Structures are given as C-alpha cells and as structure tokens.
Amino acid sequence: MTDGNTTLPPPSEAEAEILQIVWERQPVSVRTVHEEIRQIRDVGYTTVLKQLQRMLDKGLVDRIPGKGKSFDYVATQPASETRTTLLNRLVRTVFGNSKADLVMHALGRDDVSAREIEQLKAFIAELEAEQGEEEDAR
C-alpha cells in the first residue's frame, strides 16, 4: 500500500474501469476482474492480467497472496480520492476549469431523472447553508 503522501498518476479509462471492480470486490482475482469486464465487452484474460500488472507498477493497486499460487489485487487509494483526481482533470481539460459548465452539460442530457434533479437541489441547498455558516463565522 502507498503511504498516502505519494502522488499517483491518474488512471487511464481502462484502468479506471478495472479500479471500479477492485473497489467493489477487493481483494479480487484477475479472473473475477476479467469475468466482470467480459459482461460489458469482449476482452482477453491476458489483457486484464497485463493491465493489472501495469497498474501495480504505477502504484494504483497492490498484490496480495490469493488462493493457491494466485494473487489478489487491492486498490492503494480509496475510490473518492481517485474520482476527485479524475474529475479535476476532466473539469480542467474539457470544461476550461468551469465546474458550472460540467454540471450544466451533465444536466442538459435527456436521461436526467426527476429524482436526480431533486437530489441535486438538496445538495445545492446544503452547499448554500454551509457557505452561509462560513460567512456568519467571519
């Protein structure tokens, strides 16, 4: 595991897909990761193995003893940290550092449900309340 002070490279899209499985199922075998990805698209076992080995070299995952002679993999950082890194990169590179543009783009899609909109309203209300508390404390 990393010491928490090391800055890891952000994962690629394929690595992020694998990390999602690792976070949900860790410790997890190559076979399990492969089976999960195969439900979405056709990919070879050795491709998944090679990707996990690269991720190990980059420090994104650690390898621990599994059953028999096999190894299992665990993430070196929590999902929230990696997601924040990826989101920050997306906001910076795709949306010109505008969080508002990102949110408006996401909400402008046809598949946003009324429930999701209500959740967002509640979240915005929480943010506004927190900002009000911070201003009152000054």
Side-chain angles (χ1 to χ4, degrees), residues 62-75:
D62 265 340
R63 189 169 62 184
I64 60 173
K67 293 180 182 175
K69 295 180 181 181
S70 69
F71 290 99
D72 287 339
Y73 291 85
V74 294

Side-chain angles (χ1 to χ4, degrees), residues 21-86:
I21 296 165
V22 173
W23 288 320
E24 291 171 1
R25 315 260 323 247
Q26 64 186 332
V28 64
S29 67
V30 177
R31 181 164 313 287
T32 299
V33 173
H34 177 248
E35 289 169 359
E36 290 281 327
I37 294 175
R38 285 280 316 258
Q39 293 178 19
I40 301 164
R41 61 185 165 79
D42 190 29
V43 62
Y45 177 88
T46 56
T47 301
V48 173
L49 174 61
K50 183 169 280 220
Q51 194 71 44
L52 278 162
Q53 289 170 337
R54 285 190 192 125
M55 292 169 69
L56 179 66
D57 292 342
K58 289 170 92 174
L60 297 170
V61 295
D62 265 340
R63 189 169 62 184
I64 60 173
K67 293 180 182 175
K69 295 180 181 181
S70 69
F71 290 99
D72 287 339
Y73 291 85
V74 294
T76 58
Q77 289 188 318
S80 60
E81 268 185 57
T82 303
R83 288 177 179 148
T84 297
T85 299
L86 290 172

Side-chain angles (χ1 to χ4, degrees), residues 9-13 84-95:
S12 68
E13 188 175 331
T84 297
T85 299
L86 290 172
L87 181 62
N88 289 342
R89 180 173 68 181
L90 179 69
V91 169
R92 186 181 68 253
T93 60
V94 178
F95 293 95

